[in-house]
Amino acid sequence: MDSDLQLFDTPGAGPSGAATTGGSLADATHAAAPLAVRMRPRDLDELVGQSHLRAPGSPLRQLVDGDKPLSLLLWGPPGTGKTTIASIVSQQTGRRFVEISAVSAGVKEVRAAIDQARRELIATSRETVLFVDEVHRFSKAQQDALLPGVENRWVTLVAATTENPSFSVISPLLSRSLLLRLQPLTDDDIAEVIDRAVADERGLGGEFALDDEARSHLVRLAGGDARRSLTYLEAAAGAAVSKGLDVIDVETAETAADQAAVRYDRDGDQHYDVVSAFIKSIRGSDADAALHYLARMLEAGEDPRFIARRLMISASEDIGLADPTALQTAAAAAQVVQMIGLPEGRLTLAHATIALAVAPKSNAVTTAIGAAVADVKAGKIGAVPPHLRDAHYAGAKGLGHGVGYVYSHDAPFGIAEQQYAPDVILDAEYYRPTEHGAEAAVKQRWERVRRLIRGK
């Protein structure tokens, strides 16, 4: 069998190739399997998180409990249960399980898997779950090769992706599959996964106690990835064995993961202190300090989308028109992080952090909107000048609406001298551009424009 295609045809087998019946070779293989594989949930009730997918009457429940032939597209961050769901669909419906990795398989392997599934269906009436991991890495031709099996229901396709399927999956395949969005796992979810593995016979079987600080450290390291949390736990247990310990403490967990525990509570003071220092370092143009705080947040398991949001705010708050590309960079970084997640997303966050830190700074946008809001709150509202009011309805002209309005494009330089602001703020100067970066040119233009508008 080609190495790119994995077939698990033992009754009750999951992606580990392990059967659930005792005394078999498959059981021995399962006992030696990684902790993350051994602890893979066997049914939807054991699945941690994703309560919206496990609810009674949900499409996934109908597929598993009702054994309905239906192909799925699972979209979510790493370690949230995509492979597990495919395994559950296979085990609980008695279907064969075939896994293909889009990283290494080609059209040949896809067609071979579908042909094999069709022959099995004809010969034994047994259906096949075809799990395609990282389907977004498939080319259009490779995704096209999946269509016959899906259309003819020779396979129940379960395709997993960390990228938005609207952009990474071809329309014919998207329209023939049910899209299920998996949500990131919370810290509580990860803690539940770890505690279950410590106690469960398939895991550590209660041979070790896990202290609270070590658990918190493993949760932070996991960053919402259940598979990663179990990988670190298994390494920590191995380190405890080598030390002759029956308690996994934070020092042992640190040694196993080769990574010091970051003293950072995402819900406490450290969360606010570190992100505050991050933004102030960018504002102060210290790229090195900003990268340090970025690294602390990432290593502590901070949500990268939160960091991206802070960068977008900083681009307008502290840079503004001194570098008009800063907001574009921050917004692009947020989109990329949403699409690719971690760990690759840290490169994008670092890119944006450095770009914003070294950019020229101006808070003129911040002070401008602040001053305008302050005047509004102080009651400086004023009536809209009649010539600027809507004049598109019958009778508007009779009320003087739009009368005397000068169309800017008909005026010299495309700028018409007329009153735009209400009388009460006629002399207000909210936007006061600096001489920093690109805003120096903006300042020169704005001063000329303001004189033309106001005739001064």
Side-chain angles (χ1 to χ4, degrees):
M1 183 180 297
D2 193 283
S3 59
D4 292 333
L5 184 150
Q6 300 178 45
L7 169 64
F8 306 110
D9 201 21
T10 307
S16 65
T20 56
T21 53
S24 67
L25 179 60
D27 276 333
T29 304
H30 191 270
L35 180 61
V37 173
R38 302 200 309 271
M39 287 304 302
R40 180 162 284 150
R42 294 161 292 191
D43 55 43
L44 288 181
D45 293 328
E46 288 188 358
L47 185 66
V48 174
Q50 316 308 334
S51 58
H52 62 297
L53 300 182
R54 297 185 288 111
S58 66
L60 185 57
R61 279 284 182 189
Q62 293 181 46
L63 173 62
V64 172
D65 298 339
D67 198 12
K68 294 184 178 180
L70 182 66
S71 291
L72 302 177
L73 276 173
L74 305 177
W75 173 28
T80 51
K82 297 185 293 294
T83 305
T84 294
I85 288 175
S87 172
I88 290 171
V89 170
S90 172
Q91 292 185 56
Q92 291 200 256
T93 60
R95 293 180 172 97
R96 296 166 62 249
F97 186 97
V98 178
E99 179 177 356
I100 291 179
S101 173
V103 175
S104 53
V107 173
K108 177 182 176 183
E109 288 75 26
V110 171
R111 289 176 176 166
I114 291 176
D115 287 344
Q116 187 175 6
R118 181 172 57 85
R119 290 194 297 268
E120 182 76 16
L121 184 63
I122 293 172
T124 67
S125 298
R126 191 179 180 196
E127 298 177 13
T128 297
V129 170
L130 176 61
F131 177 62
V132 180
D133 196 17
E134 299 190 78
V135 69
H136 57 272
R137 294 180 181 266
F138 265 168
S139 66
K140 182 180 182 298
Q142 290 169 313
Q143 292 187 35
D144 281 338
L146 293 167
L147 288 175
V150 174
E151 289 176 335
N152 295 290
R153 292 186 174 173
W154 296 331
V155 297
T156 295
L157 175 68
V158 180
T161 178
T162 56
E163 296 188 3
N164 190 333
S166 298
F167 303 107
S168 59
V169 177
I170 60 174
S171 296
L173 192 57
L174 195 59
S175 65
R176 289 165 173 80
S177 305
L178 178 64
L179 176 62
L180 299 181
R181 180 76 183 270
L182 278 72
Q183 300 299 326
L185 297 182
T186 66
D187 286 355
D188 288 342
D189 292 333
I190 297 298
E192 181 180 345
V193 169
I194 291 172
D195 289 341
R196 183 183 297 175
V198 169
D200 197 291
E201 289 300 324
R202 293 177 297 153
L204 304 184
E207 295 180 9
F208 301 92
L210 180 67
D211 73 21
D212 292 341
E213 193 174 0
R215 179 188 293 102
S216 297
H217 179 51
L218 294 175
V219 169
R220 285 194 299 269
L221 291 181
D225 188 324
R227 183 169 50 244
R228 185 186 302 169
S229 73
L230 294 177
T231 299
Y232 284 132
L233 175 61
E234 186 172 28
V241 170
S242 66
K243 294 180 178 180
L245 303 175
D246 57 5
V247 175
I248 301 174
D249 55 22
V250 70
E251 290 76 19
T252 303
E254 287 175 348
T255 302
D258 193 26
Q259 188 168 4
V262 180
R263 309 303 175 187
Y264 182 98
D265 179 4
R266 280 190 278 172
D267 297 317
D269 291 340
Q270 280 289 314
H271 166 84
Y272 298 104
D273 290 345
V274 172
V275 75
S276 175
F278 174 62
I279 293 303
K280 289 172 182 173
S281 297
I282 292 175
R283 181 182 299 146
S285 301
D286 191 332
D288 292 328
L291 286 172
H292 167 77
Y293 292 118
L294 172 64
R296 280 175 66 169
M297 289 189 286
L298 291 173
E299 289 302 296
E302 183 61 82
D303 186 343
R305 296 170 300 179
F306 168 79
I307 301 172
R309 289 194 295 268
R310 297 304 308 174
L311 288 171
M312 288 190 286
I313 294 168
S314 175
S316 292
E317 181 181 12
D318 295 318
I319 298 171
L321 294 177
D323 182 356
T325 67
L327 181 57
Q328 299 172 16
T329 299
Q335 183 180 16
V336 170
V337 166
Q338 175 68 26
M339 293 178 66
I340 69 173
L342 294 176
E344 293 87 350
R346 68 181 183 178
L347 300 176
T348 303
L349 291 172
H351 176 166
T353 297
I354 295 170
L356 269 59
V358 302
K361 303 301 189 295
S362 169
N363 71 340
V365 170
T366 303
T367 57
I369 186 62
V373 169
D375 274 356
V376 170
K377 288 183 175 180
K380 295 182 180 181
I381 305 296
V384 175
H387 60 282
L388 297 185
R389 297 178 190 177
D390 182 20
H392 288 88
Y393 60 93
K397 296 288 185 182
L399 296 173
H401 293 189
V403 176
Y405 171 67
V406 181
Y407 187 50
S408 296
H409 296 291
D410 292 337
F413 310 109
I415 300 170
E417 178 186 339
Q418 60 187 337
Q419 179 179 341
Y420 290 96
D423 291 340
V424 70
I425 60 158
L426 195 57
D427 295 325
E429 293 185 7
Y430 297 133
Y431 180 45
R432 299 175 180 268
T434 68
E435 297 278 358
H436 305 159
E439 199 168 38
V442 174
K443 179 180 181 181
Q444 294 178 9
R445 172 170 171 76
W446 173 229
E447 289 175 348
R448 292 195 304 269
V449 168
R450 187 162 51 193
R451 285 195 298 268
L452 288 171
I453 292 172
R454 302 182 181 182
K456 295 180 181 179

